[in-house]
Amino acid sequence: MAVTLTTAAAKHVGAFLAKRGKGVGLRLGVRTTGCSGLAYKLEYVDETRPEDVTFESQGITVVIDPKSLPYIDGTELDFAREGLNEGFKFNNPNVKDACGCGESFSV
């Protein structure tokens, strides 16, 4: 499978990378935390590591470390504005449960 971005997410990431003036893409991963066990982490990538897995989606390189891939394989990353709030949304088919605040999940 792969990790993909919606058009809105790709547009947002592309604009931020252009504003930064550097970077090869977006790193998506998971870390252990929260009441349900895992939380997403996002960061912009200036260079990839040899062990990284990369996907191309909507012209954006998505970089994932091999330990995170089983938890997020098949995820679609979206970017949405709702009223005064905006942010990334993760459409992850692997999620079995999420905490009430929406900050963590389990697979």
Side-chain angles (χ1 to χ4, degrees), residues 42-88:
L42 285 171
E43 61 187 11
Y44 292 96
V45 178
D46 291 330
E47 56 185 62
T48 60
R49 301 176 197 131
E51 68 273 11
D52 286 335
V53 179
T54 60
F55 299 100
E56 192 76 23
S57 180
Q58 305 270 353
I60 301 294
T61 300
V62 181
V63 181
I64 301 168
D65 68 271
K67 290 182 182 178
S68 294
L69 187 57
Y71 301 106
I72 57 178
D73 196 20
T75 296
E76 178 189 62
L77 183 61
D78 192 12
F79 186 82
R81 287 189 171 92
E82 296 172 355
L84 298 175
N85 299 317
E86 66 180 20
F88 287 105

